[in-house]
Amino acid sequence: MTTFRTATLLAVPLAALAAGTAPAPLRAQELRVGLSAPVTSIDPHFANAAPNSSFARHIFDPLVVRAPDGRPVPNLALSWTALEDNLWEIRLRPGVKWHDGRDFTADDVVFTFGRAPNVPNSPASFGGSLRTVKAVEAVDPLTLRITTSAPTPNLPIDLAAIAIVSRHAGEGASTADYNSGKAAIGTGPYRLVSYASGSSIEVSRFDGWWGPRQDWEKVTFRIIPNPGARTAALLSGDVELIAAPSSSDLPRLRQEANIRIFERQGSRALFLSPDFSRTGESPYITDNDGKPLPTNPLRELKVRQALSLAINRQGLAERVQQGMAEATGQWMPPGAFGHNPAVPVPAFDVARARTLLAEAGYPQGFRITLHASNDRYPADAQTAQAVAQMWSRIGVATTVETLPFATYLTRMAKQEYSIVQNSWGSSTGEAGSVLLNIVHSYDQPRRLGASNDTRYANAALDAQIAEALSTMDPALREQRVAAAVKASVDDLALIPMILFKNAWAARRPLTYEPRMDEQTLAMGIRREN
């Protein structure tokens, strides 16, 4: 279990650091970056988690990449054309080389599409991105034909999630082979040099990359989950750029003449996911005497509504996140594809919450444990503690247990918890990503609900999601996606709380183009002349 004492103590030395430590000089072609969350594997298909996917961009190329504003742009794929509603043609970039000098071909994409959804022991599969892919044919070395089981207008955006790996290095390779570097042969702008799990990753420039020559000959990524330590590393010059600077440190950093801040509204929502997998006893829910409840109260809509109404979202955004988040009742910001204006930020209503609990059969409340990560999202442990205090005021005595993200993610995938603080970054730039991966019923054979770790299931909503995501007309599709968002929120398949703002801090003369998808890419870090 995590307390606030550790985080507070680690943040204390910042003032002394700035006063008495001379920053290290910026080395000519070397870059040091402080990451806020661990990269749990070099295998780009091991876990559909933002830190892994962000780092994978350095070693491996996808067919399509997302621009900082979320737009899909060509990468290994030069073009994509819907020949029919269920048939796409992908033209590949010529002259691309793997790090070992071999030619990249369409056959590597065929191999990748077979591997990505089927990595053993994956805690979060990429199956959702390839859910409708029925067949992939290499027409020639630079042409693919993709047949889908249903119209899939978002296919180009979905393909941006899939890092392409080589058949010759990846066939028969395990995740351990990628972590060791043996199979980590990509077409990306950097080669893997070393990987120390939870500590650091080092890459070197691949001069045979098909894209523009990179500024940095060597890049070292340091994993620094503690925000105070991350800021300290930036101020001392141990790193030149950090991701997700602490919101409490931002005012101070803005006053530093040699520090620049880069910000962008993100598409990552923080929410609560109740357990739907159990109808009977749930392992972390008891009555007030500590006796397990015979039925799972979280399956009752009124209980979920009570828990939602007990949350002061504005307080979380303004005080816990210190202005680096916005209160929300859904998972996309206004203006995004599928954002529904008819879904407001839920009211903070303690009295109504207590009434709903009583109507659901729990007038005295109950006890519950809320699980959360403590090293993945800004103030994740503190946010969970704040939610626990809010719930305790309506009679739901809440204990918080936080864990390192890698452990938390693995246990969550096994349905070990009763309710979790969870998050999803909709880097596709539209609301369908959450509907598809988290809200849709878990259906492994059809690669649906791939990250539905709480096993929420609603057949009517599944049909609504399927119709929305297979609608080829953009305007009608957005209407249907927005309607599915409202249906999901009405049933509280998950309980949205806040939307994060993304921030980076860098030492001058470096600049960074801030990204909606929160990825920290060496390719976007430049030295200003």
Side-chain angles (χ1 to χ4, degrees):
M1 188 176 299
T2 296
T3 67
F4 291 108
R5 183 175 300 168
T6 301
T8 302
L9 290 174
L10 288 172
V12 166
L14 295 183
L17 173 71
T21 304
L26 181 64
R27 298 171 185 173
Q29 289 188 312
E30 294 187 14
L31 177 68
R32 297 159 296 185
V33 177
L35 299 180
S36 60
V39 176
T40 60
S41 178
I42 300 301
D43 183 343
H45 306 144
F46 175 69
N48 189 3
N52 292 26
S53 298
S54 178
F55 175 75
R57 282 281 308 278
H58 297 84
I59 309 294
F60 306 95
D61 283 315
L63 295 177
V64 180
V65 295
R66 300 182 185 104
D69 63 1
R71 292 178 298 106
V73 295
N75 203 56
L76 288 181
L78 285 179
S79 66
W80 47 88
T81 305
L83 303 179
E84 301 171 8
D85 282 356
N86 290 33
L87 181 63
W88 291 76
E89 183 173 88
I90 311 289
R91 296 284 184 177
L92 301 178
R93 186 179 297 276
V96 175
K97 298 288 186 181
W98 294 102
H99 292 163
D100 58 9
R102 296 202 193 186
D103 291 332
F104 158 73
T105 71
D107 182 63
D108 295 306
V109 182
V110 174
F111 170 74
T112 295
F113 282 17
R115 182 184 191 273
N118 300 302
V119 174
N121 303 313
S122 169
S125 168
F126 284 88
S129 297
L130 299 173
R131 68 198 181 280
T132 64
V133 174
K134 184 177 179 180
V136 187
E137 177 191 3
V139 178
D140 60 47
L142 294 176
T143 307
L144 285 165
R145 291 279 177 90
I146 300 177
T147 303
T148 59
S149 59
T152 311
N154 277 355
L155 184 65
I157 296 177
D158 291 341
L159 295 182
I162 307 298
I164 304 302
V165 299
S166 68
R167 181 185 290 276
H168 68 270
E171 200 156 38
S174 66
T175 292
D177 290 327
Y178 282 88
N179 291 341
S180 71
K182 177 182 176 182
I185 307 299
T187 62
Y190 291 93
R191 300 174 184 262
L192 180 68
V193 174
S194 65
Y195 169 60
S197 179
S199 176
S200 65
I201 313 172
E202 185 178 316
V203 298
S204 63
R205 184 172 60 208
F206 174 45
D207 289 327
W209 189 47
W210 55 267
R213 180 181 172 84
Q214 293 300 295
D215 291 352
W216 311 106
E217 183 177 336
K218 172 185 173 183
V219 183
T220 301
F221 297 91
R222 289 182 52 196
I223 312 302
I224 314 176
N226 180 268
R230 209 159 50 249
T231 298
L234 179 71
L235 291 174
S236 70
D238 286 344
V239 297
E240 285 84 47
L241 179 141
I242 61 172
S246 167
S247 54
S248 60
D249 289 338
L250 278 173
R252 155 83 182 289
L253 290 174
R254 293 184 200 281
Q255 295 178 0
E256 293 284 335
N258 65 332
I259 301 294
R260 289 172 169 167
I261 307 298
F262 306 92
E263 297 178 74
R264 192 176 201 129
Q265 174 62 54
S267 59
R268 175 171 294 280
L270 191 70
F271 51 85
L272 302 166
S273 293
D275 172 47
F276 294 91
S277 69
R278 302 169 180 89
T279 57
E281 293 182 10
S282 192
Y284 291 97
I285 303 178
T286 71
D287 64 17
N288 290 318
D289 295 323
K291 181 181 178 181
L293 293 175
T295 59
N296 178 6
L298 299 179
R299 292 178 65 95
E300 293 287 336
L301 177 59
K302 287 186 176 181
V303 171
R304 301 196 298 277
Q305 290 173 331
L307 295 177
S308 178
L309 290 172
I311 299 170
N312 181 350
R313 291 165 170 81
Q314 200 63 39
L316 294 179
E318 293 179 357
R319 294 194 289 276
V320 180
Q321 296 292 332
Q322 300 189 54
M324 288 302 292
E326 294 184 356
T328 189
Q330 51 194 299
W331 53 85
M332 293 301 294
F337 190 97
H339 172 89
N340 193 327
V343 177
V345 177
F348 172 46
D349 193 334
V350 172
R352 178 61 179 156
R354 288 176 176 154
T355 298
L356 286 169
L357 274 182
E359 291 176 358
Y362 302 96
Q364 305 304 316
F366 51 84
R367 294 183 179 182
I368 194 168
T369 297
L370 170 61
H371 284 86
S373 60
N374 56 23
D375 61 355
R376 172 63 186 94
Y377 312 110
D380 45 5
Q382 294 91 328
T383 302
Q385 292 283 2
V387 170
Q389 293 172 16
M390 294 170 188
W391 284 353
S392 295
R393 293 173 190 154
I394 65 169
V396 179
T398 306
T399 299
V400 173
E401 183 177 346
T402 67
L403 306 93
F405 181 67
T407 304
Y408 160 83
L409 186 66
T410 300
R411 291 182 59 186
M412 181 172 66
K414 297 177 181 178
Q415 294 80 54
E416 292 189 14
Y417 306 136
S418 290
I419 190 164
V420 298
Q421 180 176 271
N422 202 355
S423 180
W424 187 266
S426 298
S427 55
T428 57
E430 44 80 46
S433 176
V434 167
L435 291 172
L436 171 68
N437 289 285
I438 296 180
V439 174
H440 194 287
S441 301
Y442 182 75
D443 187 342
Q444 189 174 23
R446 294 197 298 154
R447 302 172 180 172
L448 296 166
S451 296
N452 182 348
D453 295 314
T454 59
R455 298 303 189 258
Y456 172 79
N458 183 327
L461 185 51
D462 288 347
Q464 194 173 355
I465 293 170
E467 180 185 44
L469 298 184
S470 63
T471 301
M472 297 298 286
D473 177 77
L476 182 57
R477 181 169 74 256
E478 182 166 21
Q479 290 177 14
R480 289 175 173 174
V481 168
V485 167
K486 186 175 188 307
S488 169
V489 172
D490 287 347
D491 199 37
L492 289 177
L494 49 87
I495 303 173
M497 297 190 296
I498 55 175
L499 280 161
F500 290 111
K501 298 176 183 177
N502 299 334
W504 294 261
R507 297 183 64 84
R508 295 180 185 272
L510 298 187
T511 65
Y512 188 66
E513 185 172 10
R515 300 180 59 88
M516 184 196 75
D517 60 12
E518 77 197 50
Q519 290 188 345
T520 302
L521 304 178
M523 297 81 83
I525 303 171
R526 298 282 184 266
R527 187 195 307 271
E528 188 177 74
N529 295 327

